[in-house]
Amino acid sequence: VIMFCSAQSVAMASGTALIYDEEMATHKLLWSDPICDIEVPERLSSSYEQLKSYHLVERCVPVPAREGSEEEILLVHSLEHLEVAKSTQTMNEEELKRVSENYDAFFFHPSTYHCARLAVGATLQLVDAVMSGKVRNGMALVRPPGHHSQRNAANGFCLFNNVAIAAEYAKLKYGLQRILIVDWDVHHGQGIQYIFEEDPSVLYFSWHRYEHQEFWPSLKESDYDAVGLGKGKGFNINLPWNKVGMRNSDYLAAFFHVLLPMAFEFDPELVIVSSGYDSGIGDPEGQMNATPEVFAHLTHFLMQLANGKLCVILEGGYHLKSLGESVCMTIKTLLGDPVPQIT
């Protein structure tokens, strides 16, 4: 009996990690750009303040962020992309603007490279905390976000692909063979799709506003028939929304009927969420009607997989109140609080 009990306690880690570093708020837009001006430092700071006001911060296990190493970044990005990012640290505003114009919806600040490395490192710190059993699950509040960035390009506010790097890192360091990435951001994380489209060890699920290819990033390969290539065929799942105003019931239906049956069959050893809250109510990008409570339910379902090994990584979310409340709902659920009733 004693042996059984001690084995149990080893098997079931407890505690929820929270990773936040205010340094990541120094990345900001220095000129006028109506597309990029919603990606503000307050997305991070106000989410953290909201967690504090609900007394959730002290209930979490604090894990420090660190800078991701060049080797870690090169797990998914090209050396050329790394070098361009690195070169922006000493640029003046004019030069930063010029480099930024090479990409679709991205801006550089002298601190961007440092912040992006912190975002990568924070994500990997969370993977380590969860995989080593230090905590059961956790969330990393990071920026810049990552899911749009590609091997050789910044894209859609994203410089380095935090979640994709984390999946490669977890495969390498912990020998994982099945990782589930759930992308509930309202935009398609095409960067993650491209990186893993031939890889059967990573199951990628994304729902996103699509509107018959009218909504950014407006790619044919964001449609439902992009299912992966070669060995990775069947391991990429896109659920494109062709209208706005989706509600809690739509999100739950998508989880119940599309994602969860595949996720349980896939039987992941680790679940990573590309956690964009622009899919929540009030967001100017998403124009959806799902309330913050829905994220508690989505989180709760994902906690039933991979023995509860769940890493939630912040992506988008541009309505500060909706974002803050949704982050709090996610953390409360990770901590094991009962999920709220849902309308």
Side-chain angles (χ1 to χ4, degrees):
V1 170
I2 292 164
M3 277 174 68
F4 174 73
C5 292
S6 61
Q8 270 299 94
S9 62
V10 171
M12 285 308 287
S14 67
T16 293
L18 177 63
I19 307 184
Y20 167 79
D21 189 329
E22 60 190 22
E23 275 286 292
M24 284 181 270
T26 58
H27 160 71
K28 59 173 186 281
L29 182 63
L30 294 171
W31 53 86
S32 167
D33 180 339
I35 290 170
C36 291
D37 63 10
I38 55 171
E39 212 292 271
V40 293
E42 290 73 27
R43 296 178 53 244
L44 220 50
S45 47
S46 71
S47 297
Y48 189 70
E49 288 307 314
Q50 191 71 325
L51 287 168
K52 282 208 304 213
S53 74
Y54 285 139
H55 302 290
L56 294 170
V57 173
E58 63 248 41
R59 295 178 56 199
C60 294
V61 177
V63 174
R66 64 169 172 87
E67 281 198 336
S69 70
E70 295 191 5
E71 293 73 29
E72 287 161 349
I73 291 162
L74 293 172
L75 287 172
V76 312
H77 293 290
S78 68
L79 186 58
E80 184 192 357
H81 181 55
L82 178 66
E83 293 300 335
V84 170
K86 218 168 155 175
S87 72
T88 60
Q89 299 175 94
T90 53
M91 288 183 180
N92 63 34
E93 190 177 316
E94 212 34 61
E95 294 167 318
L96 290 166
K97 197 172 179 183
R98 215 174 10 244
V99 182
S100 302
E101 281 163 2
N102 292 331
Y103 304 109
D104 181 7
F106 189 77
F107 60 90
F108 276 104
H109 176 281
S111 74
T112 300
Y113 176 66
H114 171 56
C115 293
R117 280 185 63 172
L118 279 174
V120 169
T123 304
L124 300 184
Q125 288 281 79
L126 180 55
V127 168
D128 282 338
V130 168
M131 289 309 300
S132 67
K134 182 183 175 189
V135 294
R136 187 174 182 199
N137 57 37
M139 183 167 193
L141 292 176
V142 301
R143 68 184 273 287
H147 69 151
H148 298 304
S149 61
Q150 287 140 56
R151 198 180 121 69
N152 207 23
N155 184 266
F157 310 161
C158 304
L159 182 59
F160 299 138
N161 203 314
N162 308 317
V163 164
I165 293 168
E168 284 295 351
Y169 175 86
K171 284 199 299 183
L172 215 60
K173 184 166 179 181
Y174 298 100
L176 301 188
Q177 292 168 349
R178 293 180 313 283
I179 297 173
L180 170 65
I181 297 176
V182 177
D183 190 338
W184 65 43
D185 190 282
V186 87
H187 301 88
H188 181 220
Q190 82 279 32
I192 300 178
Q193 174 170 310
Y194 293 148
I195 289 161
F196 297 114
E197 61 191 346
E198 295 184 52
D199 186 346
S201 68
V202 175
L203 179 66
Y204 176 62
F205 168 84
S206 172
W207 66 32
H208 40 267
R209 186 173 163 190
Y210 187 59
E211 292 175 80
H212 307 285
Q213 217 182 313
E214 292 294 304
F215 187 72
W216 191 91
S218 311
L219 301 167
K220 177 76 196 83
E221 56 268 37
S222 304
D223 212 347
Y224 68 91
D225 54 0
V227 295
L229 305 170
K231 285 193 172 117
K233 203 168 182 187
F235 294 89
N236 190 83
I237 309 156
N238 287 333
L239 196 160
W241 305 114
N242 285 318
K243 57 182 187 181
V244 296
M246 295 295 145
R247 314 179 87 86
N248 294 342
S249 52
D250 298 304
Y251 283 14
L252 294 174
F255 255 54
F256 284 140
H257 298 291
V258 184
L259 172 63
L260 290 174
M262 289 198 215
F264 278 101
E265 188 181 336
F266 181 63
D267 189 24
E269 299 162 291
L270 173 66
V271 181
I272 309 176
V273 182
S274 263
S275 182
Y277 296 103
D278 42 11
S279 46
I281 195 162
D283 197 275
E285 285 286 289
Q287 297 181 24
M288 299 300 181
N289 286 327
T291 64
E293 289 77 24
V294 84
F295 296 105
H297 288 258
L298 303 182
T299 302
H300 178 75
F301 296 133
L302 296 179
M303 287 165 72
Q304 316 312 312
L305 295 154
N307 286 325
K309 290 191 191 71
L310 179 58
C311 296
V312 181
I313 315 298
L314 185 65
E315 298 279 4
Y318 307 100
H319 183 290
L320 297 182
K321 182 74 178 143
S322 181
L323 168 64
E325 293 291 338
S326 299
V327 165
C328 289
M329 280 292 174
T330 305
I331 293 266
K332 278 168 76 103
T333 307
L334 291 173
L335 284 163
D337 290 1
V339 291
Q341 279 212 313
I342 202 159
T343 49

